[in-house]
Amino acid sequence: MAGRRGGRTVHDLRRENRTALLQQLYFNGPMSRNELGPAIGLSSGSISNVVAELAADGLVEEAGSVESEGGRPRTLLRIVPGCGRLIGVDVGETRIRVELLDLSLTELARTERPLDLKGHPVEGVAELVASAVHEVLDAGRGHPGPLLGVGIGVPGIVAHTPEGAVVHGPTVGWDAVPLESVLRRACQLPPSVDYFIANGAGTLGQAEMWFGAGRGTQNAVVVLFGSGVGACVVTGDAAQARAVEWGHLTVRVRGRRCRCGALGCLEAYAGAEALLDRWREAGGRPPLGADEETALAAMMDAAHPREPGRTPEPTALAIIEETAEYLGAGLSDLVNLFQPDRVLVGGWAGLQLGERFLASVRRHLPTYALSYPVSRVSVELGRLGPDAVTVGAATLPLAAFFARGGRPPEAPREAEPPAWQGALRGRALH
């Protein structure tokens, strides 16, 4: 029988040591053995043993050397980028984006599928995801490493049940949809491949906190501004990021009807779909037959013409400014409640509207927020572009890989929430 220390087996301790070393190398590497010991609290002998074990598993390799003071050069270590592959999926409201990445999150292959969620039952969405997943796997066939899992960002609330992840997305017509089991049937990947399903705003937040504009802070709000709006609140560390249904905060009593069925939601005024609807109602004319992204670009150009001497369209300009005020008011609630150091705005619509729109949001925010928390917060655009949700989705199987100490999954994932949620305690931001 394996020995126990304080209720943990020797196997548990070895896994924890492997996890700590892999995380340290991933976020702060390359590093030498001498640096790793103090960083994770292990003796030099333990570091040597864990490194030897990880190297034998093909997870860690040498990455050059650096001079040391008065001694032999120190060998640097890093995680082998090709020791595993990850798939990130962004199920948006206008398209599905799928990427195959290596362990360093370098893109190996990508594809997209146009989508109108309102016109697609979950089985149809799953078939589109499945065809895109197999396309990137075929395109990336020459790259080494096992597939470590598929991460999926979706609109709506994700609940974990014994049968797998279930999605509640009233704005897209999904009522307790058993998405994980539907995807397993559609994708037909090996049973050992885990699926990690999370709210898209949460995966956007995870990506920006790990690799984007959130680095260096542990308290942030990350806003997803697309067809609708959502947010992710990060307090303490990125492993504790949680999506909140911010788009369904009431901003006007007896206001416009939201897609969720309620009256006066922020999303009924501030999402791209609502913004364009309001422009049409006021007499604006988006390009005939244009998709949402093209129509929003046309509206922005009407409000802020690029051509010198062209007069802005007053209706478009007024609605964009009003939308900035609604977002400023909505953000004030998040600032007052959570007192973040940063608010980061991402999503295709947020990035498309850009810095000029964000300047208007900043201008309105102090009107509605308490003076002390708003004086300490900065409002910035996300840095990862339109791939942020996809990259964030890919971090979910990556975090689970770390939690297992780099070992392959031994059995299908438990439906309990996710081991990965606590796997990166305090490490993602340093």
Side-chain angles (χ1 to χ4, degrees):
M1 180 182 291
R4 290 183 176 271
R5 299 182 192 175
R8 292 179 297 169
T9 66
V10 171
H11 176 78
D12 292 334
L13 292 171
R14 286 175 63 188
R15 185 188 67 248
E16 290 166 10
N17 290 343
R18 286 168 62 105
T19 293
L21 195 147
L22 286 170
Q23 290 178 175
Q24 191 66 34
L25 284 179
Y26 191 82
F27 291 107
N28 301 304
M31 297 176 71
S32 69
R33 290 172 176 80
N34 288 347
E35 294 169 314
L36 282 166
I40 60 178
L42 292 179
S43 68
S44 58
S46 295
I47 289 290
S48 293
N49 290 338
V50 177
V51 167
E53 198 176 290
L54 293 171
D57 289 346
L59 303 180
V60 168
E61 64 183 4
E62 294 184 358
S65 61
V66 292
E67 294 296 325
S68 62
E69 294 180 10
R72 297 168 56 187
R74 290 175 295 158
T75 300
L76 296 176
L77 301 168
R78 69 171 185 177
I79 292 179
V80 179
C83 67
R85 296 177 300 160
L86 309 157
I87 288 178
V89 180
D90 174 9
V91 179
E93 296 185 26
T94 59
R95 65 163 58 90
I96 292 169
R97 179 181 282 118
V98 177
E99 294 185 41
L100 178 71
L101 308 109
D102 69 13
L103 220 62
S104 68
L105 297 184
T106 298
E107 182 187 299
L108 306 177
R110 67 178 295 143
T111 190
E112 293 185 356
R113 300 285 188 274
L115 179 66
D116 174 6
L117 266 181
K118 294 186 289 296
H120 281 74
V122 66
E123 291 81 5
V125 172
E127 290 297 334
L128 289 173
V129 171
S131 70
V133 163
H134 286 287
E135 182 179 326
V136 297
L137 286 174
D138 287 343
R141 199 177 292 280
H143 296 279
L147 180 60
L148 300 178
V150 181
I152 304 128
V154 298
I157 298 168
V158 180
H160 295 273
T161 75
E163 290 74 37
V166 171
V167 180
H168 303 264
T171 59
V172 294
W174 286 4
D175 181 15
V177 164
L179 185 61
E180 183 173 343
S181 60
V182 174
L183 281 173
R184 282 191 178 279
R185 288 195 300 271
C187 291
Q188 292 293 303
L189 294 174
S192 61
V193 175
D194 285 339
Y195 294 73
F196 300 85
I197 300 173
N199 177 273
T203 68
L204 169 70
Q206 184 87 339
E208 288 289 353
M209 296 302 290
W210 279 25
F211 309 112
R215 285 180 65 87
T217 185
Q218 294 190 352
N219 295 286
V221 168
V222 186
V223 171
L224 174 61
F225 184 12
S227 294
V229 291
C232 173
V233 177
V234 182
T235 53
D237 62 68
Q240 293 177 341
R242 64 188 186 277
V244 293
E245 289 296 324
W246 174 61
H248 304 290
L249 179 85
T250 302
V251 293
R252 178 174 287 185
V253 176
R254 292 187 294 276
R256 290 174 63 90
R257 175 93 43 197
C258 179
R259 299 182 300 171
C260 73
L263 296 175
C265 294
L266 175 63
E267 189 166 293
Y269 296 91
E273 181 180 304
L275 198 159
L276 289 166
D277 284 345
R278 288 163 53 221
W279 187 34
R280 289 187 193 95
E281 290 164 11
R285 291 183 292 179
L288 216 57
D291 61 24
E292 251 181 20
E293 295 187 30
T294 305
L296 186 61
M299 183 179 184
M300 194 64 179
D301 186 52
H304 300 286
R306 295 188 186 90
E307 300 166 24
R310 191 170 136 216
T311 307
E313 182 191 307
T315 303
L317 186 59
I319 289 173
I320 285 177
E321 183 61 27
E322 186 184 39
T323 300
E325 183 167 8
Y326 274 117
L327 278 174
L331 285 175
S332 73
D333 291 310
L334 296 176
V335 169
N336 290 343
L337 285 169
F338 301 105
Q339 301 184 24
D341 301 316
R342 292 179 203 169
V343 171
L344 309 175
V345 179
W348 67 264
L351 297 173
Q352 191 178 101
L353 290 170
E355 184 57 41
R356 183 182 298 189
F357 175 76
L358 208 59
S360 295
V361 175
R362 291 190 193 103
R363 199 167 59 248
H364 289 295
L365 181 56
T367 305
Y368 299 95
L370 294 172
S371 58
Y372 177 70
V374 82
S375 70
R376 299 173 62 250
V377 71
S378 64
V379 182
E380 307 169 23
L381 282 177
R383 293 181 191 160
L384 298 182
D387 292 343
V389 173
T390 318
V391 171
T395 67
L396 305 183
L398 174 62
F401 170 76
F402 288 149
R404 297 191 302 267
R407 299 193 187 281
E410 297 175 3
R413 179 168 58 91
E414 296 291 329
E416 241 347 87
W420 50 264
Q421 284 186 345
L424 302 173
R425 191 82 50 197
R427 300 189 182 273
L429 304 176
H430 304 298

mmCIF file of all heavy atoms in Angstrom, residues 48-83:
data_model
loop_
_atom_site.group_PDB
_atom_site.id
_atom_site.type_symbol
_atom_site.label_atom_id
_atom_site.label_comp_id
_atom_site.label_asym_id
_atom_site.label_seq_id
_atom_site.Cartn_x
_atom_site.Cartn_y
_atom_site.Cartn_z
ATOM 1 N N SER A 48 15.706 17.417 -8.752
ATOM 2 C CA SER A 48 16.392 16.533 -9.705
ATOM 3 C C SER A 48 15.534 15.315 -10.032
ATOM 4 O O SER A 48 15.434 14.898 -11.190
ATOM 5 C CB SER A 48 17.746 16.089 -9.140
ATOM 6 O OG SER A 48 18.612 17.188 -9.039
ATOM 7 N N ASN A 49 14.894 14.747 -9.021
ATOM 8 C CA ASN A 49 14.063 13.566 -9.242
ATOM 9 C C ASN A 49 12.843 13.890 -10.120
ATOM 10 O O ASN A 49 12.506 13.139 -11.042
ATOM 11 C CB ASN A 49 13.580 12.988 -7.905
ATOM 12 C CG ASN A 49 14.706 12.346 -7.121
ATOM 13 O OD1 ASN A 49 15.727 11.955 -7.699
ATOM 14 N ND2 ASN A 49 14.534 12.253 -5.810
ATOM 15 N N VAL A 50 12.175 15.018 -9.816
ATOM 16 C CA VAL A 50 10.983 15.378 -10.582
ATOM 17 C C VAL A 50 11.357 15.726 -12.018
ATOM 18 O O VAL A 50 10.676 15.314 -12.970
ATOM 19 C CB VAL A 50 10.229 16.556 -9.917
ATOM 20 C CG1 VAL A 50 9.023 16.963 -10.763
ATOM 21 C CG2 VAL A 50 9.770 16.174 -8.515
ATOM 22 N N VAL A 51 12.462 16.473 -12.188
ATOM 23 C CA VAL A 51 12.907 16.824 -13.541
ATOM 24 C C VAL A 51 13.239 15.564 -14.336
ATOM 25 O O VAL A 51 12.859 15.432 -15.513
ATOM 26 C CB VAL A 51 14.116 17.776 -13.495
ATOM 27 C CG1 VAL A 51 14.772 17.887 -14.871
ATOM 28 C CG2 VAL A 51 13.691 19.147 -13.004
ATOM 29 N N ALA A 52 13.935 14.626 -13.714
ATOM 30 C CA ALA A 52 14.292 13.390 -14.408
ATOM 31 C C ALA A 52 13.039 12.626 -14.834
ATOM 32 O O ALA A 52 12.962 12.085 -15.948
ATOM 33 C CB ALA A 52 15.161 12.521 -13.505
ATOM 34 N N GLU A 53 12.039 12.603 -13.960
ATOM 35 C CA GLU A 53 10.788 11.908 -14.253
ATOM 36 C C GLU A 53 10.049 12.572 -15.418
ATOM 37 O O GLU A 53 9.573 11.902 -16.352
ATOM 38 C CB GLU A 53 9.919 11.922 -12.995
ATOM 39 C CG GLU A 53 8.796 10.906 -12.972
ATOM 40 C CD GLU A 53 8.073 10.940 -11.632
ATOM 41 O OE1 GLU A 53 8.649 10.522 -10.617
ATOM 42 O OE2 GLU A 53 6.920 11.411 -11.623
ATOM 43 N N LEU A 54 9.967 13.913 -15.378
ATOM 44 C CA LEU A 54 9.272 14.642 -16.446
ATOM 45 C C LEU A 54 10.027 14.551 -17.767
ATOM 46 O O LEU A 54 9.411 14.469 -18.837
ATOM 47 C CB LEU A 54 9.080 16.107 -16.040
ATOM 48 C CG LEU A 54 8.115 16.355 -14.871
ATOM 49 C CD1 LEU A 54 8.184 17.806 -14.420
ATOM 50 C CD2 LEU A 54 6.683 15.992 -15.262
ATOM 51 N N ALA A 55 11.349 14.574 -17.696
ATOM 52 C CA ALA A 55 12.147 14.434 -18.925
ATOM 53 C C ALA A 55 11.951 13.053 -19.530
ATOM 54 O O ALA A 55 11.829 12.901 -20.757
ATOM 55 C CB ALA A 55 13.621 14.693 -18.620
ATOM 56 N N ALA A 56 11.899 12.014 -18.677
ATOM 57 C CA ALA A 56 11.673 10.648 -19.185
ATOM 58 C C ALA A 56 10.307 10.523 -19.831
ATOM 59 O O ALA A 56 10.124 9.733 -20.772
ATOM 60 C CB ALA A 56 11.809 9.653 -18.025
ATOM 61 N N ASP A 57 9.330 11.315 -19.370
ATOM 62 C CA ASP A 57 7.991 11.304 -19.966
ATOM 63 C C ASP A 57 7.894 12.190 -21.210
ATOM 64 O O ASP A 57 6.811 12.305 -21.805
ATOM 65 C CB ASP A 57 6.956 11.789 -18.939
ATOM 66 C CG ASP A 57 6.721 10.774 -17.827
ATOM 67 O OD1 ASP A 57 7.140 9.610 -17.988
ATOM 68 O OD2 ASP A 57 6.122 11.146 -16.796
ATOM 69 N N GLY A 58 9.000 12.848 -21.571
ATOM 70 C CA GLY A 58 8.998 13.695 -22.761
ATOM 71 C C GLY A 58 8.322 15.036 -22.572
ATOM 72 O O GLY A 58 7.936 15.676 -23.543
ATOM 73 N N LEU A 59 8.201 15.496 -21.297
ATOM 74 C CA LEU A 59 7.503 16.745 -21.012
ATOM 75 C C LEU A 59 8.434 17.930 -20.806
ATOM 76 O O LEU A 59 8.024 19.074 -20.986
ATOM 77 C CB LEU A 59 6.614 16.586 -19.768
ATOM 78 C CG LEU A 59 5.570 15.471 -19.808
ATOM 79 C CD1 LEU A 59 4.775 15.448 -18.510
ATOM 80 C CD2 LEU A 59 4.646 15.637 -20.995
ATOM 81 N N VAL A 60 9.667 17.667 -20.389
ATOM 82 C CA VAL A 60 10.623 18.730 -20.086
ATOM 83 C C VAL A 60 11.913 18.472 -20.847
ATOM 84 O O VAL A 60 12.328 17.318 -20.999
ATOM 85 C CB VAL A 60 10.886 18.798 -18.559
ATOM 86 C CG1 VAL A 60 12.078 19.687 -18.241
ATOM 87 C CG2 VAL A 60 9.656 19.304 -17.827
ATOM 88 N N GLU A 61 12.540 19.557 -21.330
ATOM 89 C CA GLU A 61 13.790 19.429 -22.072
ATOM 90 C C GLU A 61 14.723 20.579 -21.716
ATOM 91 O O GLU A 61 14.305 21.592 -21.140
ATOM 92 C CB GLU A 61 13.523 19.435 -23.577
ATOM 93 C CG GLU A 61 12.946 20.743 -24.094
ATOM 94 C CD GLU A 61 12.613 20.708 -25.581
ATOM 95 O OE1 GLU A 61 12.764 19.639 -26.194
ATOM 96 O OE2 GLU A 61 12.198 21.756 -26.107
ATOM 97 N N GLU A 62 15.997 20.418 -22.061
ATOM 98 C CA GLU A 62 16.970 21.479 -21.846
ATOM 99 C C GLU A 62 16.774 22.574 -22.880
ATOM 100 O O GLU A 62 16.405 22.315 -24.026
ATOM 101 C CB GLU A 62 18.391 20.921 -21.917
ATOM 102 C CG GLU A 62 18.696 19.954 -20.787
ATOM 103 C CD GLU A 62 20.141 19.474 -20.790
ATOM 104 O OE1 GLU A 62 20.897 19.874 -21.718
ATOM 105 O OE2 GLU A 62 20.523 18.723 -19.874
ATOM 106 N N ALA A 63 17.029 23.826 -22.448
ATOM 107 C CA ALA A 63 16.813 24.976 -23.332
ATOM 108 C C ALA A 63 17.983 25.936 -23.218
ATOM 109 O O ALA A 63 17.826 27.122 -22.946
ATOM 110 C CB ALA A 63 15.512 25.677 -22.971
ATOM 111 N N GLY A 64 19.204 25.410 -23.378
ATOM 112 C CA GLY A 64 20.394 26.259 -23.305
ATOM 113 C C GLY A 64 20.909 26.380 -21.886
ATOM 114 O O GLY A 64 20.490 25.653 -20.984
ATOM 115 N N SER A 65 21.816 27.323 -21.675
ATOM 116 C CA SER A 65 22.419 27.513 -20.363
ATOM 117 C C SER A 65 22.736 28.985 -20.148
ATOM 118 O O SER A 65 22.769 29.774 -21.092
ATOM 119 C CB SER A 65 23.691 26.668 -20.223
ATOM 120 O OG SER A 65 24.641 27.062 -21.210
ATOM 121 N N VAL A 66 22.953 29.344 -18.891
ATOM 122 C CA VAL A 66 23.361 30.706 -18.536
ATOM 123 C C VAL A 66 24.565 30.622 -17.623
ATOM 124 O O VAL A 66 24.751 29.641 -16.895
ATOM 125 C CB VAL A 66 22.223 31.476 -17.831
ATOM 126 C CG1 VAL A 66 21.085 31.758 -18.793
ATOM 127 C CG2 VAL A 66 21.714 30.724 -16.609
ATOM 128 N N GLU A 67 25.396 31.657 -17.658
ATOM 129 C CA GLU A 67 26.576 31.701 -16.798
ATOM 130 C C GLU A 67 26.140 31.875 -15.343
ATOM 131 O O GLU A 67 25.135 32.526 -15.054
ATOM 132 C CB GLU A 67 27.483 32.864 -17.198
ATOM 133 C CG GLU A 67 28.096 32.723 -18.582
ATOM 134 C CD GLU A 67 29.036 31.527 -18.687
ATOM 135 O OE1 GLU A 67 29.726 31.232 -17.677
ATOM 136 O OE2 GLU A 67 29.059 30.878 -19.748
ATOM 137 N N SER A 68 26.880 31.272 -14.446
ATOM 138 C CA SER A 68 26.637 31.476 -13.020
ATOM 139 C C SER A 68 27.876 32.109 -12.400
ATOM 140 O O SER A 68 28.972 32.006 -12.947
ATOM 141 C CB SER A 68 26.308 30.144 -12.330
ATOM 142 O OG SER A 68 27.409 29.259 -12.428
ATOM 143 N N GLU A 69 27.691 32.769 -11.270
ATOM 144 C CA GLU A 69 28.793 33.468 -10.635
ATOM 145 C C GLU A 69 29.754 32.467 -10.000
ATOM 146 O O GLU A 69 29.428 31.800 -9.034
ATOM 147 C CB GLU A 69 28.266 34.434 -9.571
ATOM 148 C CG GLU A 69 27.442 35.572 -10.167
ATOM 149 C CD GLU A 69 26.947 36.512 -9.087
ATOM 150 O OE1 GLU A 69 27.402 36.371 -7.926
ATOM 151 O OE2 GLU A 69 26.108 37.366 -9.407
ATOM 152 N N GLY A 70 30.944 32.382 -10.560
ATOM 153 C CA GLY A 70 31.999 31.557 -9.969
ATOM 154 C C GLY A 70 31.766 30.070 -10.051
ATOM 155 O O GLY A 70 32.362 29.310 -9.279
ATOM 156 N N GLY A 71 30.919 29.605 -10.940
ATOM 157 C CA GLY A 71 30.670 28.172 -11.046
ATOM 158 C C GLY A 71 30.406 27.749 -12.476
ATOM 159 O O GLY A 71 30.608 28.526 -13.420
ATOM 160 N N ARG A 72 29.951 26.535 -12.623
ATOM 161 C CA ARG A 72 29.633 26.026 -13.956
ATOM 162 C C ARG A 72 28.367 26.687 -14.479
ATOM 163 O O ARG A 72 27.495 27.082 -13.705
ATOM 164 C CB ARG A 72 29.442 24.512 -13.880
ATOM 165 C CG ARG A 72 30.700 23.760 -13.464
ATOM 166 C CD ARG A 72 30.371 22.325 -13.123
ATOM 167 N NE ARG A 72 29.694 21.637 -14.223
ATOM 168 C CZ ARG A 72 29.196 20.419 -14.120
ATOM 169 N NH1 ARG A 72 29.261 19.779 -12.960
ATOM 170 N NH2 ARG A 72 28.606 19.864 -15.151
ATOM 171 N N PRO A 73 28.246 26.797 -15.803
ATOM 172 C CA PRO A 73 26.999 27.342 -16.364
ATOM 173 C C PRO A 73 25.797 26.512 -15.903
ATOM 174 O O PRO A 73 25.883 25.289 -15.720
ATOM 175 C CB PRO A 73 27.201 27.217 -17.873
ATOM 176 C CG PRO A 73 28.678 27.159 -18.054
ATOM 177 C CD PRO A 73 29.214 26.454 -16.842
ATOM 178 N N ARG A 74 24.674 27.189 -15.703
ATOM 179 C CA ARG A 74 23.453 26.510 -15.257
ATOM 180 C C ARG A 74 22.591 26.160 -16.462
ATOM 181 O O ARG A 74 22.330 27.017 -17.314
ATOM 182 C CB ARG A 74 22.670 27.408 -14.301
ATOM 183 C CG ARG A 74 23.331 27.599 -12.948
ATOM 184 C CD ARG A 74 22.565 28.592 -12.108
ATOM 185 N NE ARG A 74 22.597 29.925 -12.702
ATOM 186 C CZ ARG A 74 21.707 30.873 -12.440
ATOM 187 N NH1 ARG A 74 20.685 30.635 -11.624
ATOM 188 N NH2 ARG A 74 21.803 32.059 -13.005
ATOM 189 N N THR A 75 22.147 24.909 -16.511
ATOM 190 C CA THR A 75 21.295 24.450 -17.610
ATOM 191 C C THR A 75 19.862 24.922 -17.383
ATOM 192 O O THR A 75 19.320 24.782 -16.280
ATOM 193 C CB THR A 75 21.312 22.920 -17.700
ATOM 194 O OG1 THR A 75 22.660 22.490 -17.922
ATOM 195 C CG2 THR A 75 20.435 22.425 -18.846
ATOM 196 N N LEU A 76 19.283 25.495 -18.418
ATOM 197 C CA LEU A 76 17.891 25.940 -18.341
ATOM 198 C C LEU A 76 16.958 24.842 -18.814
ATOM 199 O O LEU A 76 17.308 24.050 -19.704
ATOM 200 C CB LEU A 76 17.691 27.194 -19.198
ATOM 201 C CG LEU A 76 18.461 28.441 -18.768
ATOM 202 C CD1 LEU A 76 18.228 29.565 -19.770
ATOM 203 C CD2 LEU A 76 18.078 28.878 -17.366
ATOM 204 N N LEU A 77 15.772 24.804 -18.231
ATOM 205 C CA LEU A 77 14.767 23.796 -18.584
ATOM 206 C C LEU A 77 13.500 24.483 -19.075
ATOM 207 O O LEU A 77 13.180 25.594 -18.660
ATOM 208 C CB LEU A 77 14.429 22.945 -17.356
ATOM 209 C CG LEU A 77 15.591 22.195 -16.706
ATOM 210 C CD1 LEU A 77 15.164 21.647 -15.354
ATOM 211 C CD2 LEU A 77 16.097 21.070 -17.615
ATOM 212 N N ARG A 78 12.765 23.802 -19.957
ATOM 213 C CA ARG A 78 11.474 24.312 -20.416
ATOM 214 C C ARG A 78 10.551 23.135 -20.695
ATOM 215 O O ARG A 78 10.997 21.986 -20.826
ATOM 216 C CB ARG A 78 11.632 25.134 -21.685
ATOM 217 C CG ARG A 78 12.022 24.308 -22.901
ATOM 218 C CD ARG A 78 11.960 25.124 -24.175
ATOM 219 N NE ARG A 78 12.227 24.275 -25.346
ATOM 220 C CZ ARG A 78 12.186 24.706 -26.594
ATOM 221 N NH1 ARG A 78 11.888 25.967 -26.855
ATOM 222 N NH2 ARG A 78 12.435 23.881 -27.596
ATOM 223 N N ILE A 79 9.251 23.423 -20.790
ATOM 224 C CA ILE A 79 8.280 22.402 -21.204
ATOM 225 C C ILE A 79 8.415 22.198 -22.711
ATOM 226 O O ILE A 79 8.592 23.152 -23.470
ATOM 227 C CB ILE A 79 6.858 22.836 -20.842
ATOM 228 C CG1 ILE A 79 6.682 22.850 -19.320
ATOM 229 C CG2 ILE A 79 5.814 21.913 -21.462
ATOM 230 C CD1 ILE A 79 5.323 23.297 -18.842
ATOM 231 N N VAL A 80 8.327 20.963 -23.147
ATOM 232 C CA VAL A 80 8.393 20.638 -24.576
ATOM 233 C C VAL A 80 7.080 21.077 -25.226
ATOM 234 O O VAL A 80 6.019 20.529 -24.907
ATOM 235 C CB VAL A 80 8.607 19.125 -24.786
ATOM 236 C CG1 VAL A 80 8.648 18.792 -26.278
ATOM 237 C CG2 VAL A 80 9.876 18.659 -24.090
ATOM 238 N N PRO A 81 7.104 22.057 -26.144
ATOM 239 C CA PRO A 81 5.844 22.550 -26.719
ATOM 240 C C PRO A 81 5.046 21.469 -27.444
ATOM 241 O O PRO A 81 3.813 21.507 -27.452
ATOM 242 C CB PRO A 81 6.298 23.642 -27.703
ATOM 243 C CG PRO A 81 7.661 24.038 -27.251
ATOM 244 C CD PRO A 81 8.266 22.804 -26.656
ATOM 245 N N GLY A 82 5.752 20.505 -28.041
ATOM 246 C CA GLY A 82 5.062 19.488 -28.826
ATOM 247 C C GLY A 82 4.650 18.263 -28.043
ATOM 248 O O GLY A 82 4.259 17.244 -28.644
ATOM 249 N N CYS A 83 4.684 18.331 -26.692
ATOM 250 C CA CYS A 83 4.336 17.124 -25.922
ATOM 251 C C CYS A 83 2.828 16.937 -25.794
ATOM 252 O O CYS A 83 2.362 15.963 -25.216
ATOM 253 C CB CYS A 83 4.991 17.155 -24.543
ATOM 254 S SG CYS A 83 4.357 18.432 -23.445
#
